[in-house]
Amino acid sequence: MLLQLTLDVTESAPVVVDAGGFLNDPIILAVVAGVAALFGLGLFFAVLRAVLHGSFRARHGFDMAVMLVTLPKESAEKKGEQERTKSLQEIQEDISVAETLFSTLGGLRAERGLTAWLRGRKDHFAFEIVARDGLVEFYVATPKRYAQYLVQQIQTLHANAQIEDVDDYNIFVPQGATVGGFLKLKRHHLYPLKTYRQIEADPVDAITNALSKVVKGEGAAVQFVVRSARGEWRRKGVRVANEMNRGKSASEAVASTSLMGSLFGSGAKKTAKPGETPEHRTLSPLEQEMQKAVQEKSSKAGLDVIVRVVASAKDPVRAQGILANITDTFGQYNLYEYGNSFVKGAPGNRAAFLRDFIFRSFREKHSFVLAAHEMASLYHFPLPSTETPNIRWLTARKAPPPSNMPAEGIVLGAVNYRGEDTLVRIKKPDRRRHVYIIGKSGSGKSVLIENMALQDIANGDGVCVVDPHGDLVEHILEQMPENRIDDVIVFDPSDLDRPIGLNMLEVESEEQKDFAVQEMIAIFYKLFPPEMIGPMFEHNMRNVMLTLMADAEESGTIAEIPRMFSDADFQKQWVAKVTDPVVRAFWEKEMAKTSDFHKSEMLGYLISKVGRFVENTMMRNIIGQRLSGFSIREAMDKKKVLLVNLSKGKTGEVNANLLGLIIVSKLQMAALSRADLPEDQRHDFYLYIDEFQNFITDSIATILSEARKYRLNLIIAHQYMGQLVQNNDTKIRDAVIGNVGTMMLFRIGIEDAEMLEKEFAPTFNAYDLINVEQYTAYVKLLIDNTASKPFNMGTLPPRKGNPELAAAIKELSRFKHGKDRARVEADILERTQLGASAPTPPLRERSV
């Protein structure tokens, strides 16, 4: 059948077109076929693109590095309430730092090409504010190839920021309800939002305040997925601003720059005042402001942005409430009539939406363009002036490890700085300048000492550990290397069945006598109030101790001091061995002319000081043995492991302090006696003292300054500086601070922080020293005899040991170095005659 189309060209001349002939035209058929082929090809690529986009979204998510960003609440320059109260202008200046960051990201070259079109771009970043576990945290996620770049940009703008690579967080409540949505712009993205320059406060505070209401057991997150926008949006913005400048309204200008508007006109009617032509309509003041805002927005770096909000709670009502509270805060950015505003969008496919959130996928249909200053208004890291509760602040700043970190020596810990791990080591020569450790109880000092000592033991070095608590020695014994078991000496005063002797009056040379006497007198000053020790006590004690040391083969003991004044025959036996004329004169002239009454008075005075140790069975069986159970000089020269367990709960505080003082003094004496060895034959010996203020006298200055020559290397630890000051005497504290080479500060108190801040400034301040994390220390490391810049270090975790091994080593040591209690007691009673009657102390002494 012939189909005819009649077109009325004129009233008198109808034109008839043969449609069948039109369709039979080969040219026409070729064109139709080409169009159909192009349409089919386009449809094929559209489907292929959709499939590839979907399959690669998850892969892009797995290729992203997630980092937690924390900043200090206060910096060195911003401390104190008055300084934290900042003006609006200062707050805006702080926010502008984020604008610089987003300008940098917006300046990145947008991915182009067929691959980017087919598979999707992989150059997007995610900036997230997350509420979980009762804290508000700030995260950034970046393609791994951009990770170092982004870290550098953040660190450049926030020098004190800590950026940690972390496993991805989880805000979802098990068996709970999860809801979410995205935010869109109500009008074209060229319409500006209200920014931080127009809001009378920090706009992010409203978002974080809403997130801070999310309690433990719930979770929420605001996610901004951003990428650099292609330049077309900026050129369009310039055209819109120009069109408005010609008199068009904002809607007319935007419409005229669209594709349909360019082809067919905007379709909008120009509104002109009487007497004006439409092309020369005068803009209202608000329109002029908007035209400037569009112009300003177009001059900034642009970012394609997707905003997602997710909330999770135990029940749907609570989850919806959290979601509503968060999304409502975005109303502050609305600029009505002549600007833009946010509207809430509900996801059509909830599962796909949550999958996009988890993998931080970029879906172009939900994106819009924001300028850098608009993005900075939506997201920036917390400011020092931010008062939102529950924000996860950086408790203490971090600093990079020194570039010349030693590659040898024992490991002190590790530094994780900007994603890079560095082991902290200290060389042997630098350890001879000693290590000082200070920190509150439970901050990690004992674990550090344990790890250091175990490394020295494993290296075959000589070690002594003085432990006032007992746990440290036990942990070391549990991890003792098998090849060092025979070298271990365990000195445990609470072992009553096989006490190990420790005779302070046992010396190896004439030169050591005076040192031993001075140390014993200093020990008594340490144990008793100064007013109870005077010149006469010193005079009598010095002479009686020198007398008991007169026998080079077998010295007397402290336990025999009372008998020296009560038994004339015993006294004569020892005086006969004295070669020092001054000491002989003390007995033969001074004491011989002293009346019995004054002798009795003097005896009572001495017994009141010495008796508390002699009359205690445990102490008497230790200090009353003439021969010590081990030689400290031999331990140093033969690299033995001496573990001193002075647990105050078992030994008693005063007894533990006396024994610790004696051991430390004998170690110092043994170190100084190594002058008879060439320096290259003196093996390093490491002395670890926890709570060292209890076990040192004023001679600590000598140890710190001179003992290093004899390779006695100290590692001393305690809790606070006040322990080193007695009766306003700062001699010990000044000696420690002035002489130690390496300083390690765990968390300390306010007073100590103010004092030690000078040692670690300007890198760290008092705020940092007070708030350093547990098991983390600020270190000023000696490297090649030069102090490094301070840095922060995490200690190595403790290792689990074998309690059965510890018990076996203690049993072996007590049989090698201890003596049977019955034999010891019989020998001491025979020599001291403590069971015999003694003169009664004067009344005033008995009342002390």
Side-chain angles (χ1 to χ4, degrees):
M1 178 180 175
L2 180 65
L3 176 65
Q4 291 185 338
L5 300 177
T6 303
L7 301 178
D8 254 345
V9 180
T10 63
E11 292 183 2
S12 58
V15 178
V16 179
V17 179
D18 188 344
F22 177 82
L23 292 174
N24 289 328
D25 190 324
I27 297 176
I28 299 299
L29 288 175
V31 170
V32 171
V35 171
L38 287 174
F39 177 79
L41 186 63
L43 181 62
F44 168 77
F45 275 109
V47 173
L48 177 64
R49 181 173 184 260
V51 172
L52 290 177
H53 270 238
S55 65
F56 278 92
R57 282 193 190 102
R59 295 189 188 183
H60 296 171
F62 285 117
D63 190 48
M64 297 190 82
V66 181
M67 294 177 283
L68 171 65
V69 181
T70 50
L71 288 93
K73 173 64 175 167
E74 296 173 332
S75 66
E77 297 77 26
K78 301 172 184 175
K79 54 185 179 179
E81 284 295 330
Q82 293 182 346
E83 294 181 32
R84 286 209 306 269
T85 304
K86 309 187 76 174
S87 67
L88 178 61
Q89 181 180 355
E90 290 173 313
I91 291 174
Q92 291 175 349
E93 289 174 358
D94 288 340
I95 299 175
S96 67
V97 173
E99 182 179 342
T100 304
L101 173 63
F102 289 117
S103 295
T104 303
L105 297 183
L108 293 174
R109 184 180 182 276
E111 288 184 352
R112 295 177 179 273
L114 181 61
T115 302
W117 183 81
L118 276 176
R119 294 168 48 175
R121 288 172 57 180
K122 299 184 295 182
D123 57 348
H124 58 267
F125 304 83
F127 293 83
E128 299 162 344
I129 311 176
V130 179
R132 66 187 188 102
D133 296 331
L135 291 175
V136 178
E137 302 171 323
F138 288 74
Y139 289 88
V140 295
T142 170
K144 291 178 181 177
R145 68 183 188 278
Y146 285 117
Q148 187 174 3
Y149 169 80
L150 183 60
V151 169
Q152 289 174 347
Q153 294 301 318
I154 296 175
Q155 289 288 355
T156 300
L157 299 170
H158 301 277
N160 297 326
Q162 175 182 318
I163 305 173
E164 299 176 81
D165 285 313
V166 295
D167 295 330
D168 210 345
Y169 59 83
N170 180 13
I171 63 168
F172 302 109
V173 178
Q175 289 84 44
T178 300
V179 296
F182 51 85
L183 295 173
K184 302 183 295 183
L185 294 180
K186 186 175 183 179
R187 308 172 76 177
H188 193 278
H189 59 244
L190 286 175
Y191 287 84
L193 288 167
K194 188 182 291 185
T195 69
Y196 69 90
R197 298 173 188 169
Q198 300 156 290
I199 300 174
E200 297 297 316
D202 179 3
V204 174
D205 278 357
I207 300 174
T208 56
N209 277 322
L211 287 167
S212 71
K213 303 298 189 296
V214 178
V215 299
K216 286 188 177 182
E218 301 174 340
V222 181
Q223 183 183 81
F224 303 92
V225 183
V226 306
R227 69 184 188 187
S228 59
R230 290 177 178 153
E232 291 83 354
W233 82 275
R234 188 178 294 104
R235 291 189 288 271
K236 187 173 182 178
V238 172
R239 291 200 301 271
V240 168
N242 290 336
E243 291 296 322
M244 291 183 67
N245 198 40
R246 292 181 186 141
K248 291 184 178 180
S249 67
S251 58
E252 293 168 347
V254 171
S256 66
T257 57
S258 66
L259 177 62
M260 296 300 293
S262 299
L263 292 176
F264 305 109
S266 66
K269 296 181 179 180
K270 301 180 177 64
T271 55
K273 293 180 181 179
E276 293 180 329
T277 61
E279 290 76 10
H280 297 89
R281 181 179 67 88
T282 302
L283 298 178
S284 68
L286 286 176
E287 286 180 312
Q288 292 177 11
E289 289 295 324
M290 182 181 175
Q291 189 261 351
K292 291 179 183 178
V294 171
Q295 208 166 18
E296 181 187 14
K297 182 170 182 174
S298 303
S299 68
K300 302 285 186 180
L303 297 148
D304 294 329
V305 180
I306 296 175
V307 183
R308 299 188 182 103
V309 183
V310 176
S312 185
K314 292 182 180 180
D315 61 85
V317 175
R318 172 59 181 164
Q320 286 289 355
I322 294 172
L323 181 67
N325 288 339
I326 297 171
T327 54
D328 287 347
T329 62
F330 286 84
Q332 64 183 318
Y333 301 104
N334 295 347
L335 194 59
Y336 299 103
E337 187 63 31
Y338 292 103
N340 222 327
S341 58
F342 281 112
V343 291
K344 304 172 187 178
N349 185 328
R350 177 176 169 275
F353 171 81
L354 292 178
R355 189 162 53 247
D356 288 342
F357 167 77
I358 292 170
F359 291 111
R360 300 172 174 88
S361 302
F362 197 98
R363 285 189 181 267
E364 294 180 0
K365 66 179 181 179
H366 295 153
S367 70
F368 47 86
V369 178
L370 293 180
H373 65 297
E374 292 176 313
M375 190 61 222
S377 304
L378 296 173
Y379 183 99
H380 56 259
F381 301 123
L383 311 178
S385 58
T386 300
E387 296 300 333
T388 300
N390 303 330
I391 285 183
R392 181 169 179 171
W393 295 100
L394 175 63
T395 52
R397 287 183 293 173
K398 292 191 174 183
S403 57
N404 60 336
M405 181 70 74
E408 60 185 41
I410 67 167
V411 177
L412 302 178
V415 178
N416 183 285
Y417 186 76
R418 298 186 180 180
E420 294 186 8
D421 290 323
T422 304
L423 287 179
V424 180
R425 298 179 179 271
I426 182 170
K427 295 180 179 179
K428 269 193 174 184
D430 293 322
R431 296 185 68 186
R432 293 168 191 155
R433 287 284 304 275
H434 315 298
V435 176
Y436 171 63
I437 305 168
I438 183 174
K440 291 183 176 181
S441 177
S443 58
K445 302 187 301 297
S446 296
V447 173
L448 172 62
I449 292 174
E450 176 186 325
N451 286 327
M452 292 176 68
L454 284 170
Q455 291 180 75
D456 289 331
I457 293 169
N459 293 337
D461 291 318
V463 172
C464 175
V465 178
V466 181
D467 178 19
H469 308 296
D471 293 338
L472 176 58
V473 164
E474 289 295 323
H475 291 162
I476 293 174
L477 284 170
E478 290 173 2
Q479 302 172 68
M480 186 65 59
E482 291 185 7
N483 63 327
R484 297 305 308 271
I485 291 176
D486 287 336
D487 295 330
V488 177
I489 305 168
V490 180
F491 180 75
D492 185 356
S494 64
D495 184 358
L496 302 179
D497 294 331
R498 291 192 66 85
I500 298 177
L502 184 64
N503 184 7
M504 183 62 187
L505 304 185
E506 184 182 27
V507 293
E508 298 179 2
S509 65
E510 288 291 324
E511 292 77 13
Q512 292 184 359
K513 289 182 179 180
D514 284 333
F515 182 87
V517 169
Q518 285 301 116
E519 280 299 292
M520 275 308 302
I521 292 174
I523 288 171
F524 278 105
Y525 270 109
K526 182 90 174 178
L527 298 176
F528 296 97
E531 59 270 16
M532 294 182 64
I533 307 293
M536 284 304 298
F537 176 84
E538 288 190 40
H539 177 65
N540 294 329
M541 283 294 292
R542 180 179 292 107
N543 282 283
V544 73
M545 285 190 291
L546 287 172
T547 304
L548 291 171
M549 287 190 285
D551 190 341
E553 299 296 327
E554 191 175 10
S555 298
T557 66
I558 297 176
E560 294 166 70
I561 290 178
R563 191 180 177 191
M564 284 291 294
F565 294 97
S566 62
D567 189 331
D569 294 334
F570 183 75
Q571 180 188 115
K572 289 177 182 178
Q573 290 176 12
W574 279 100
V575 173
K577 301 175 184 180
V578 175
T579 58
D580 188 331
V582 176
V583 177
R584 290 185 68 91
F586 169 78
W587 296 106
E588 294 174 353
K589 297 181 179 179
E590 184 175 337
M591 291 301 298
K593 296 179 180 179
T594 302
S595 66
D596 291 340
F597 172 79
H598 287 99
K599 285 182 181 179
S600 175
E601 187 179 52
M602 179 170 49
L603 176 59
Y605 189 72
L606 291 173
I607 288 178
S608 68
K609 309 300 181 294
V610 180
R612 67 186 306 168
F613 308 111
V614 175
E615 293 164 5
N616 180 283
T617 303
M618 179 186 70
M619 291 297 293
R620 182 172 66 244
N621 290 346
I622 294 172
I623 65 176
Q625 296 186 44
R626 286 190 171 183
L627 295 178
S628 297
F630 55 90
S631 167
I632 288 185
R633 171 64 188 270
E634 181 182 342
M636 297 179 72
D637 291 345
K638 295 187 177 181
K639 302 182 180 181
K640 300 290 186 180
V641 178
L642 174 58
L643 303 178
V644 183
N645 185 346
L646 298 177
S647 175
K648 294 178 181 178
K650 297 179 180 179
T651 309
E653 184 173 359
V654 177
N655 294 337
N657 291 348
L658 173 65
L659 294 172
L661 285 161
I662 291 175
I663 286 175
V664 172
S665 296
K666 288 181 76 68
L667 279 162
Q668 183 181 1
M669 194 160 51
L672 297 176
S673 72
R674 299 173 96 185
D676 58 3
L677 281 177
E679 189 168 349
D680 58 352
Q681 295 181 23
R682 301 171 192 162
H683 301 300
D684 286 284
F685 190 84
Y686 299 99
L687 172 57
Y688 294 85
I689 315 178
D690 196 6
E691 303 300 340
F692 80 101
Q693 76 281 352
N694 295 320
F695 309 120
I696 50 98
T697 62
D698 291 348
S699 61
I700 184 67
T702 305
I703 304 179
L704 292 171
S705 60
E706 296 183 16
R708 64 186 178 88
K709 303 173 187 175
Y710 306 105
R711 305 294 171 85
L712 176 61
N713 310 324
L714 270 62
I715 302 90
I716 50 180
H718 71 126
Q719 295 182 15
Y720 57 95
M721 299 298 292
Q723 294 170 321
L724 306 184
V725 179
Q726 292 185 344
N727 301 317
N728 296 322
D729 185 358
T730 63
K731 185 189 303 181
I732 294 177
R733 185 191 71 188
D734 298 340
V736 170
I737 299 300
N739 285 290
V740 292
T742 295
M743 298 182 69
M744 305 175 69
L745 273 62
F746 289 85
R747 183 176 294 178
I748 56 178
I750 296 175
E751 292 183 3
D752 293 345
E754 292 174 351
M755 183 184 307
L756 294 170
E757 178 184 18
K758 301 170 186 176
E759 294 285 338
F760 287 78
T763 309
F764 302 114
N765 60 13
Y767 179 84
D768 300 316
L769 303 184
I770 294 169
N771 293 286
V772 64
E773 297 174 355
Q774 192 177 26
Y775 309 129
T776 303
Y778 286 126
V779 182
K780 200 171 181 182
L781 184 66
L782 198 69
I783 303 176
D784 297 328
N785 207 33
T786 302
S788 70
K789 287 186 176 181
F791 62 95
N792 53 295
M793 174 198 79
T795 58
L796 302 177
R799 293 173 290 180
K800 189 174 181 180
N802 182 359
E804 295 178 357
L805 175 63
I809 295 174
K810 287 189 286 186
E811 197 67 20
L812 176 63
S813 174
R814 68 195 294 266
F815 277 99
K816 286 174 64 176
H817 304 286
K819 289 183 179 181
D820 181 71
R821 174 177 180 175
R823 292 177 53 193
V824 169
E825 290 180 344
D827 177 63
I828 293 175
L829 288 174
E830 181 183 351
R831 286 186 289 104
T832 61
Q833 297 293 308
L834 289 174
S837 60
T840 304
L843 182 60
R844 65 172 179 273
E845 278 299 326
R846 281 182 281 156
S847 63
V848 174

